[in-house]
Structures are given as structure tokens and as C-alpha cells.
Amino acid sequence: MQYYLNGYQFGDPELRAPAPGFEHPPENLPDTVDVLIAGTGPAGLVLAAQLSTFSGFTTRIVERRAGPLELGHADGVACRTVEMLDAFGLSSQLMREACWINETVFWRPDAQDRSRIARTGRVDDAAGELSEMPHLIVNQARLQQHLLEYMEKSPTRLTPDYGLEVVRVEVAESGDHPVAVTLRPTQGGAERTVHAKYVIGTDGARSAVRTSIGRELRGDVANHAWGVMDILAVTDFPDIRIKAAIQSAKEGNILLIPREGGYLVRLYVDLGVVDPARRDEIRRTPPEQLIAAAQKVLHPYTLEVKDIAWASVYEVGQRVTDRFDDVPEDRTGVQLPRVFIAGDACHTHSAKAGQGMNVSMQDTFNLGWKLAAVLEGRAAPELLHTYSSERQPVAQDLIDFDKEWSAIMASPPKDPAHPERGGVDPAELQDYFVRSGRYTAGLATHYPAGPLIGTSEHQALAQGFTIGTRFHSAPVIRVADARRLHLGHAHRADGAWRLYAFADASTERLDALLRWLSDSPESPVRRYTPAHADPDSVIDVRAIYQHSHREIEVDALPPVLLPRKGRFGLIDYEKTFSPDLSNGMDIFDLRGIDRTGGALVVVRPDQYIGHVLPLEARGTLSSFFARFMLDVRP
């Protein structure tokens, strides 16, 4: 990490100096703010953490609970989410504390005695080529604590306003802060109204924000119930510390997830089809009954539960809203969005696929940088239309996937002696897990061409960086200090675009591009970076050469790769990279980069690839940014 830019500072380097006006703890919630977030779940806190680094506008977050979450129900952190959290500097902390899911094992009825279960398969949970980050299990409350600490250390020292719930949201047709939010103290007291430019509802499945803007969750209930419990247990089941999909012949199924800390384990226990007349009774199933059901599934192994940290019963259901903002479909071209919803407020589904918390956080990671760009005057407000248009289809895909996933997980195993009874062949279940690996790792999102995503005519220049998908990192060596690292770890949750310029064989095209980016009035770096800002604060240019770092003279690098920053004009030496050959293949081979002509990979602030272009495609690059950026030149 980089620090000391504006002077030596003793103590925790992650505690950034407060921005002017934020030197003291935030005052009580003011009557007027720029951004008001409702709900401190994962989606709300990712958004708040991202916006907390921007001091040019006011962000506040309210929460109906009296304080931070202490026991969360979500626990799966997908590979893609760990990549995202790395941009906040949180991945190493999570990886140290979390349980790593490395493999999945499969159990089915023993062929010789179907009253017993036997292990029948074992696969990698996520193939190593998908991501350099692991699939983690960590309590939602702990993940949220990391985000809260990030906010508290940010330049704005943002902290939630607890004990306030949203009653209603009303949007005026005009005004600088047109959104009126009525808040009610949960411990009693008079209602009050706060006015905001933008409001984001991350207030859960019963969202008052969603209701206020007339959006509805639509979908189905599968009439199938599962019990879930986090337990401390003594057992002779050999795979208690490995993710396991367990099918019994007659007693139902279990999905077993080891939890962080080395001892805690989560069991999803199949309770079968729900009789609508007994729905309330099923939901009141006591933990002792869940334990008894789990013991039957695990036969001949024993399970002695010593403590229950949490238990619940839920019905599988999948619901989603048609849009994620307050703009009616027939007014998209004339009305700008002012209110947004994210996470459970606009999509709900089963828990076993581990996607809910992850997709919710990706919702607001998509939205946060767009809000910041608009509020700082770097992008036109029309940019905000892309939040709903990009994220609603992702949620719909999740719903469709979850229906398949839930159905196959609830199906009994096929009985070879009675194939007419149906069910799922255990080999089919294992194959489905493998085929779904990219999705469950959080890596299946592919945004189509649009305002922020270019077309694919030059995709062949960088075949491994698919336009519209997240930037797939690879190892490199940083030239200035010879450090081996991952290129994608250069990303920060700072709202900046990244231009990764991969050198051509002669470096002539690269050199010409870098000169143009630094000197030309038409360069997007010059057009869109305010005069008072650091030169890489809006568009961050980085170069990857084909030859060894030992062959590159740092003092001969182009100025755009040695930007002067901060109040002292210090030089940033961390913009230039060379291939890392320690594993036999360098980044050019791993990601299919054209070695002859090179390539320019344009990466959005949320780590998704906006475009792949030739190094000489300066006009196309300029036109791409001109779609949504505002020229700040005098």
C-alpha cells in the first residue's frame, strides 16, 4: 500500500488524514445530505465504504437496529467478492480469519446398503484458473465490521446513524435535494424528514424504500423447506471440515459448510415439501428436530451437537423487481433516477448457493463509483441509468440459476433398483457443481455492449480479458522495486478508471500512446482530470512491458508513468510492470495478449472491462470516454 504522500504520519497507515471539515466525529444526522443510504447490511456498507473516501459531497447511512450486527446469517464470500474487497484493502484480513473452501465432497446412499451414506466424489470447489482469490466462509457480521472500520478510517470518518428506520420516501419534481425521506426513531420519538439528492434502499426484503417508489418483488415460492443451523458438534463424520453435498436414500439431504474458526459448521437440512396448510408449523420447527433430521441423514455416522450458535427455517423462494430505480420504464429518456434499491430490497432467493450477499455487494459496488462521478461533476447524471440496466439482468440470471440449484439440491438420489421413482443421479449432482463453478465463484457476470461497455471488434488483441467481464488478474513484476504481485491488485475503490497498456513488440506503439495520453489536449487523462487533482485520480495509466524489469531504466520512463502527486509533487513509481516468468507463462500468454501489436485494456472503477483497443486507437478511446464523462478543461 502507498502512504506518506502528503507527509509522514505516525501510527496506523490505513487511518487516512481527515478531509477538511471532517476533522471531528460526524455531527448528528443533518436535515440535508447528498446521499442517504438506508440499511447497514453488506450492500449498504459496501456503498457507504466506497463513498466515504469522497469528501466533496455528504454521505450518511441510517440503520433501524440500535448498533452494528453481531450475528449474521450469510457467510459465503465468493472469489469475485474477495477480489472486490481487495480494492478496499480488506482481502488479506478476511483470508486470514476465514475458512477456505478448497474442495467439495459428495455423499450418496451406499450401493451395498442404502440405509448408509458413502463418499462417491471429490472436486475442486473453484478451479484455480478462475481467480487468484479463494472462496471463503466468514460470518456476515465480521465482514460488515471490516467495512465499518474502513469507513471510520476514511477521510470523512463516516459512521452509521443507528436507531432510525425509513417510513416513506417522496421525490419532488424539482429542487437541488428533491428526495424527502421520513425517518422514525425505533426507540420512540418524533418522526423527522431528511432531504437528499439521492437515496439508496438497502433495507432488506421488506424495504420501505422499495415500497415508496412502487416497485414490487415478484416471483415464486418453491414450497420446499430447509432448516439451517450453525453448530459446535462432536462427530465421526470424516468430512466435517470440507464442504459436502450429502444425499440419503429416504431421510433427505444436507449441504454441509464448514465455518471460520476451525470448529463451527453450518448444516442446511432438507425438511421436504411444505404443505401450505402447515406452513407456520414448519417455520416453527425447533432446533432439536433439525438435529434429529441431520443425524438420520448422516447414518451410520454420529453427530453430537454441543452448542447452537443460530438456527432457522426458511422456504425456498425467488423474487426480483423489474427495475432497480424510481424511473418508470416509459420515462427513461426524460426522467433521471433519484432513488435506487439494491440487495434483498430488489432480489431474494435461497441461501444454499451462497450468492445473496455476494450479488448484493456487487450491486452497490456498481452503483457507488457512478454516484461519485456524478456528484463530483465528472460524469453526466444520465450515467445513473446504467445501474438498473446492468444489475437487474444480473439479478434475474441469479433467480433463474437459483431455481435450478434449489431443485437439484432438494431432489432425492436415484435408486438404481427403481429408476421409475425419479430423482437425481449423484454423478449428475457432482457434474452440476462442477459446471456451476464459474457462477458460484461470482464470475459469470457479463455486461453487454452499452454506454460503459465497448464492442468486441478488437477482442482478439486480448483474448483473456473479455469485454464486459471482470478483469482477470495475473502475476507481474513491478519494475521500480522488482516486487512480484498480481496486476489486478492495483485496483482501488477510489472511483478511478484504469488503462492497462500492454506493450507491442517494439514498444513504438506503446511509447506513442503514452506520449499522447500525457501531452495531447484530446487525451482523456487531460480532458477529464480537474486541474487541482492528482493526475491519476480519474484515469490511472499503467504499462506492462514484454521484457524483463532489469532491462527497463526507471528514469527513462514516460512522464505519465511517473506522475507527480500530492502537496509535495512526489513521484509515484508503481505504474510500470514486466512479466513474471516464475510459473513458466507470463501475463501475455496467460491472457492471450497480442505480442506483436500489444493491446489497451480499459477497466472500469468496479473492475469490469469496458473496452479492448489497439494501442493506436486514440480516437476510439476518446469517443468511448466522451459518452459519459464531462470535459473539465477551462
Side-chain angles (χ1 to χ4, degrees):
M1 61 184 297
Q2 293 177 303
Y3 46 99
Y4 300 153
L5 176 63
N6 292 307
Y8 175 80
Q9 179 181 333
F10 173 75
D12 184 356
E14 293 183 342
L15 180 61
R16 287 165 285 180
F22 294 90
E23 294 86 355
H24 305 290
E27 59 183 11
N28 293 331
L29 181 64
D31 292 333
T32 302
V33 299
D34 293 314
V35 179
L36 184 67
I37 305 165
T40 61
L45 289 180
V46 163
L47 180 59
Q50 192 172 6
L51 297 183
S52 70
T53 63
F54 297 92
S55 59
F57 52 87
T58 305
T59 300
R60 299 301 284 259
I61 180 169
V62 297
E63 168 58 51
R64 69 180 313 276
R65 289 192 307 270
L69 184 70
E70 294 183 358
L71 178 62
H73 301 163
D75 61 356
V77 185
C79 303
R80 169 68 196 122
T81 303
V82 183
E83 294 175 357
M84 179 199 76
L85 292 170
D86 187 69
F88 294 90
L90 301 177
S91 62
S92 59
Q93 294 169 280
L94 283 173
M95 288 191 287
R96 185 174 63 251
E97 298 177 10
C99 174
W100 292 36
I101 301 299
N102 303 301
E103 295 182 337
T104 298
V105 294
F106 300 88
W107 290 72
R108 69 176 183 180
D110 191 305
Q112 307 304 317
D113 180 358
R114 289 182 59 79
S115 70
R116 303 162 62 95
I117 58 171
R119 187 193 299 119
T120 59
R122 193 175 190 125
V123 298
D124 289 339
D125 185 73
E129 267 302 295
L130 290 180
S131 174
E132 79 279 12
M133 296 299 191
H135 174 190
L136 302 178
I137 303 294
V138 68
N139 191 283
Q140 172 188 343
R142 181 59 177 147
L143 186 151
Q144 292 184 193
Q145 184 179 1
H146 285 304
L147 290 166
L148 287 167
E149 291 172 356
Y150 179 93
M151 291 158 51
E152 292 168 1
K153 293 177 179 180
S154 74
T156 63
R157 301 294 193 264
L158 179 60
T159 57
D161 292 282
Y162 292 107
L164 292 171
E165 65 178 340
V166 175
V167 178
R168 60 185 171 274
V169 177
E170 300 169 293
V171 184
E173 293 184 0
S174 61
D176 194 40
H177 294 78
V179 189
V181 183
T182 302
L183 299 170
R184 176 191 299 135
T186 55
Q187 300 302 311
E191 293 182 353
R192 60 171 298 194
T193 300
V194 174
H195 290 85
K197 288 183 177 179
Y198 299 102
V199 170
I200 301 87
T202 59
D203 48 343
R206 296 180 176 87
S207 170
V209 177
R210 181 192 68 238
T211 301
S212 294
I213 62 174
R215 300 292 178 202
E216 296 181 25
L217 285 170
R218 294 187 174 92
D220 304 310
V221 175
N223 292 324
H224 200 106
W226 289 77
V228 56
M229 53 184 175
D230 289 332
I231 59 174
L232 295 169
V234 175
T235 180
D236 57 355
F237 180 67
D239 291 335
I240 194 67
R241 297 307 302 167
I242 299 178
K243 180 180 175 182
I246 306 165
Q247 295 175 301
S248 71
K250 297 181 179 179
E251 304 297 343
N253 303 334
I254 284 177
L255 180 63
L256 183 155
I257 309 290
R259 294 290 304 268
E260 71 279 8
Y263 302 102
L264 195 67
V265 64
R266 172 167 291 188
L267 299 182
Y268 290 97
V269 183
D270 185 2
L271 298 180
V273 176
V274 176
D275 180 351
R278 298 179 58 239
R279 179 164 281 125
D280 290 340
E281 178 185 341
I282 293 293
R283 290 174 178 170
R284 293 194 298 269
T285 302
E288 294 76 17
Q289 191 171 330
L290 300 181
I291 294 169
Q295 290 169 333
K296 292 178 181 179
V297 174
L298 290 172
H299 178 75
Y301 301 101
T302 61
L303 179 73
E304 183 182 358
V305 177
K306 299 293 187 179
D307 189 36
I308 301 174
W310 170 72
S312 184
V313 174
Y314 72 92
E315 279 187 77
V316 174
Q318 295 93 8
R319 296 183 176 91
V320 65
T321 63
D322 58 345
R323 288 180 66 90
F324 289 5
D325 60 30
D326 63 325
V327 180
E329 187 170 357
D330 60 354
R331 290 185 56 81
T332 300
V334 295
Q335 180 178 330
L336 293 171
R338 290 289 184 172
V339 183
F340 307 87
I341 49 178
D344 286 354
C346 48
H347 50 79
T348 61
H349 28 77
S350 71
K352 295 181 300 303
Q355 294 301 294
M357 179 170 68
N358 294 281
V359 174
S360 297
M361 290 190 285
Q362 294 298 328
D363 285 345
T364 50
F365 197 50
N366 177 291
L367 176 60
W369 67 269
K370 297 173 182 178
L371 280 170
V374 170
L375 286 164
E376 289 202 325
R378 293 184 280 108
E382 285 76 9
L383 174 69
L384 299 176
H385 285 302
T386 65
Y387 167 65
S388 181
S389 65
E390 288 186 339
R391 293 306 298 175
Q392 199 279 342
V394 171
Q396 186 61 60
D397 287 345
L398 169 60
I399 296 301
D400 297 340
F401 168 79
D402 192 61
K403 287 179 180 179
E404 288 186 11
W405 180 274
S406 298
I408 198 168
M409 282 300 303
S411 298
K414 282 184 178 177
D415 184 347
H418 298 281
E420 73 280 0
R421 296 176 181 173
V424 174
D425 187 284
E428 181 184 345
L429 175 61
Q430 180 171 329
D431 179 64
Y432 187 80
F433 264 72
V434 173
R435 287 187 289 107
S436 302
R438 179 172 293 277
Y439 199 101
T440 54
L443 304 172
T445 297
H446 189 165
Y447 295 132
L452 299 171
I453 301 294
T455 50
S456 60
E457 59 265 32
H458 301 296
Q459 183 67 76
L461 296 176
Q463 298 177 41
F465 291 125
T466 303
I467 299 168
T469 68
R470 111 308 186 183
F471 183 85
H472 188 182
S473 185
V476 290
I477 294 177
R478 194 163 58 200
V479 168
D481 59 359
R483 179 173 175 176
R484 285 181 165 82
L485 43 70
H486 259 263
L487 183 61
H489 299 184
H491 294 286
R492 287 292 172 263
D494 55 6
W497 288 74
R498 265 83 200 178
L499 297 185
Y500 290 104
F502 290 86
D504 53 308
S506 68
T507 74
E508 291 180 1
R509 296 178 185 179
L510 174 65
D511 291 342
L513 171 67
L514 296 176
R515 285 194 302 270
W516 179 80
L517 288 170
S518 176
D519 301 336
S520 173
E522 298 307 308
S523 161
V525 176
R526 296 190 60 181
R527 290 181 66 181
Y528 305 120
T529 305
H532 64 277
D534 285 335
D536 59 354
S537 61
V538 177
I539 298 175
D540 180 6
V541 180
R542 300 181 182 244
I544 304 91
Y545 287 85
Q546 294 192 35
H547 41 288
S548 167
H549 64 285
R550 295 182 178 179
E551 301 174 39
I552 298 173
E553 297 295 337
V554 172
D555 58 353
L557 291 170
V560 74
L561 299 180
L562 297 170
R564 292 182 174 271
K565 300 163 57 176
R567 66 190 183 105
F568 299 123
L570 301 181
I571 299 173
D572 185 343
Y573 291 97
E574 300 191 356
K575 306 294 186 182
T576 309
F577 305 88
S578 285
D580 180 356
L581 297 173
S582 58
N583 292 320
M585 291 182 68
D586 68 17
I587 189 171
F588 285 80
D589 293 329
L590 289 169
R591 300 294 172 260
I593 308 297
D594 187 311
R595 287 188 176 275
T596 301
L600 179 64
V601 180
V602 182
V603 182
R604 302 177 357 164
D606 57 0
Q607 301 170 321
Y608 280 80
I609 297 170
H611 221 323
V612 171
L613 295 169
L615 293 175
E616 60 271 24
R618 297 163 204 163
T620 306
L621 180 65
S622 293
S623 299
F624 175 76
F625 280 105
R627 297 177 186 176
F628 49 87
M629 299 288 278
L630 297 177
D631 199 326
V632 298
R633 292 177 298 185

